[in-house]
Amino acid sequence: MRHAEREEHVHADHLGWACHPAPGGDRPVFAHAAYLISAGEWEGRELLVAQGMAEQVAALAPRVRTITEGQEIFPGVRVRITPGHTVGHAEYVITGGGRRLIAFGDAVHSPLQIDHPTWSSGFDHDGALTAAHRRRLVAELAEPGTIGFGVHFADVVFGQVRQDGAGPAWRPLDG
């Protein structure tokens, strides 16, 4: 891949320093990157501006490429638009070799939400919709050959859901 491409949603904890200039210059760190943002999220960017993200939105605008539900953005990588932090929150499903990885972004913030999918984050755009999606996601993550990637899961970001006596639980992948 010639240029970097990524995005789950336009919040500072997912953008990192992508909007900042490279040290000693005025060009962005990833000057040739395309920023993949769901069409719904980008269309609603006035909400991001209202949340104090005007500078980030302006910096991204020239390099935004909008994506839609089910789109294959790279061979074996499909986007899913799901409830989460924002309208247009994106998850990515990566398949290959008979396995799949679901990068679920901010649909789940803590392994505790795997055990208790109805527990929502105060940041969720729609807590009830996100909780319903999380219940489906937990069931999907329990399917054989499925690995989850929880960007906010500290040192246990890659794992699988296993059923134990009390219900589903996040189990880190063995190193």
Side-chain angles (χ1 to χ4, degrees):
M1 191 158 66
R2 198 177 78 173
H3 302 294
E5 299 176 333
R6 75 151 322 270
E7 184 52 43
E8 290 167 11
H9 63 266
V10 186
H11 277 172
D13 62 327
H14 291 268
L15 291 174
W17 28 265
C19 296
H20 298 282
D26 60 354
R27 292 174 42 124
V29 173
F30 299 110
H32 300 289
Y35 291 91
L36 307 182
I37 300 175
S38 76
E41 177 138 3
W42 193 242
E43 289 165 6
R45 63 188 172 273
E46 71 279 350
L47 296 172
L48 300 168
V49 171
Q51 294 171 353
M53 306 262 317
E55 185 177 325
Q56 291 88 340
V57 168
L60 291 175
R63 294 179 297 285
V64 166
R65 189 173 103 201
T66 58
I67 54 177
T68 58
E69 170 64 33
Q71 182 177 348
E72 186 173 46
I73 58 170
F74 194 78
V77 181
R78 291 208 178 271
V79 66
R80 294 195 308 201
I81 307 302
T82 67
H85 259 11
T86 59
V87 173
H89 174 267
E91 295 179 346
Y92 297 91
V93 180
I94 304 165
T95 57
R99 300 181 82 183
R100 70 180 169 162
L101 179 133
I102 302 172
F104 47 79
D106 280 343
V108 185
H109 282 86
S110 164
L112 286 173
Q113 289 178 293
I114 299 293
D115 300 358
H116 305 280
T118 58
W119 292 2
S120 287
S121 164
F123 297 106
D124 288 345
H125 176 71
D126 183 318
L129 280 177
T130 306
H133 168 64
R134 211 170 11 258
R135 283 191 296 276
R136 292 186 302 273
L137 178 62
V138 167
E140 190 175 10
L141 290 168
E143 293 175 8
T146 302
I147 297 168
F149 172 63
V151 67
H152 289 294
F153 282 22
D155 61 345
V156 293
V157 295
F158 291 100
Q160 296 174 306
V161 171
R162 298 286 182 243
Q163 295 294 329
D164 64 17
W170 182 256
R171 299 290 177 243
L173 290 182
D174 293 332

